Amino acid sequence: DDARQGVHTYALPLLIKYGFKATLFVVSDWLTTPPIPTSPNEQYNKFMSKSEIQDCLNQGWELGCHTKTHRRLTKIDSPERQDELITSKQNLESLFQTTIFSLAYPYGDYSPELIELVCSNYTTAVTTNRGLSKTPFEFSRQWITSKTTPEIFPKLLRKSTLSVVMIVKNEEQFLSSCLTSIKDLADELIIVDTGSTDNTT
């Protein structure tokens, strides 16, 4: 995300070592004009050069688009949106001689209306929602930080499971509707009866 220089310095060697590939989302205008923070919460370090991005592509990484200038797409009008989504894609494809399939929404900001426009130009898009969801044009992602240990990392690659354990007694009237309400949420249902005298069991 953002093609910061640290990805080339630290992530690229590690991913080569462990046989991983990645999608690198690039803000096209930032290749020539570094961004100016618009709020105290936005701190920018250096970004990759064209040659550093090409190093990643040479290792089998995919190039993704992160728009032209990283603006909030739901806050601008249609012509500007088109420019952010389409011009940036065309510029990156021309510069790196590759095809771009994926978009990352700046700030994770998107809407149903925006998805309609995105699906006409991309194969999929990534949000900032955490998790493993692969809803078309609303992909979630797991965040890897300096605090992500080798023990934590494998757990982020697996979907969490949910076991529901219920201790019941004489719940014939409510048990069926209760189980129906959670059956699509739980991976496992465990019912323990503590001596019902009705048809709970």
Side-chain angles (χ1 to χ4, degrees):
D1 201 352
D2 294 352
R4 301 181 188 232
Q5 201 169 58
V7 174
H8 184 270
T9 305
Y10 303 108
L12 179 60
L14 277 174
L15 268 63
I16 291 173
K17 177 180 178 179
Y18 291 106
F20 280 88
K21 294 181 173 61
T23 302
L24 185 66
F25 292 102
V26 178
V27 181
S28 60
D29 276 14
W30 289 1
L31 282 169
T32 54
T33 307
I36 298 173
T38 57
S39 77
N41 296 326
E42 289 182 319
Q43 298 298 323
Y44 294 111
N45 49 19
K46 292 182 179 180
F47 292 85
M48 279 191 254
S49 65
K50 179 186 174 184
S51 63
E52 289 170 330
I53 292 173
Q54 190 62 56
D55 286 344
C56 296
L57 302 186
N58 291 343
Q59 293 297 324
W61 288 30
E62 177 188 352
L63 184 65
C65 184
H66 204 22
T67 71
K68 187 179 179 183
T69 62
H70 203 272
R71 299 171 70 189
R72 290 186 181 273
L73 297 174
T74 61
K75 305 296 184 184
I76 57 180
D77 60 26
S78 183
E80 291 177 301
R81 242 184 238 173
Q82 292 272 354
D83 187 44
E84 287 286 337
L85 291 170
I86 299 172
T87 304
S88 57
K89 181 176 185 288
Q90 293 171 341
N91 289 346
L92 289 171
E93 288 179 333
S94 175
L95 187 61
F96 292 99
Q97 294 298 295
T98 189
T99 302
I100 290 178
F101 300 99
S102 304
L103 170 80
Y105 298 110
Y107 307 102
D109 196 16
Y110 67 102
S111 66
E113 179 189 10
L114 181 59
I115 288 175
E116 287 188 21
L117 178 59
V118 170
C119 71
S120 300
N121 298 280
Y122 296 87
T123 301
T124 193
V126 180
T127 70
T128 54
N129 301 331
R130 298 193 183 205
L132 298 173
S133 171
K134 291 296 182 285
T135 302
F137 301 99
E138 297 180 63
F139 274 25
S140 298
R141 57 177 165 175
Q142 297 289 48
W143 292 34
I144 309 300
T145 71
S146 59
K147 296 181 181 179
T148 304
T149 66
E151 292 74 31
I152 292 174
F153 179 73
K155 297 178 181 178
L156 295 176
L157 304 181
R158 296 191 298 268
K159 180 181 177 182
S160 299
T161 57
L162 176 65
S163 295
V164 176
V165 181
M166 300 174 62
I167 300 174
V168 301
K169 181 177 181 180
N170 293 334
E171 297 293 347
E172 175 186 359
Q173 181 179 355
F174 304 106
L175 188 57
S176 177
S177 60
C178 177
L179 295 177
T180 298
S181 71
I182 60 173
K183 67 180 180 64
D184 293 328
L185 300 176
D187 298 284
E188 178 182 47
L189 298 173
I190 301 173
I191 311 299
V192 180
D193 190 290
T194 58
S196 294
T197 56
D198 61 7
N199 290 321
T200 294
T201 56

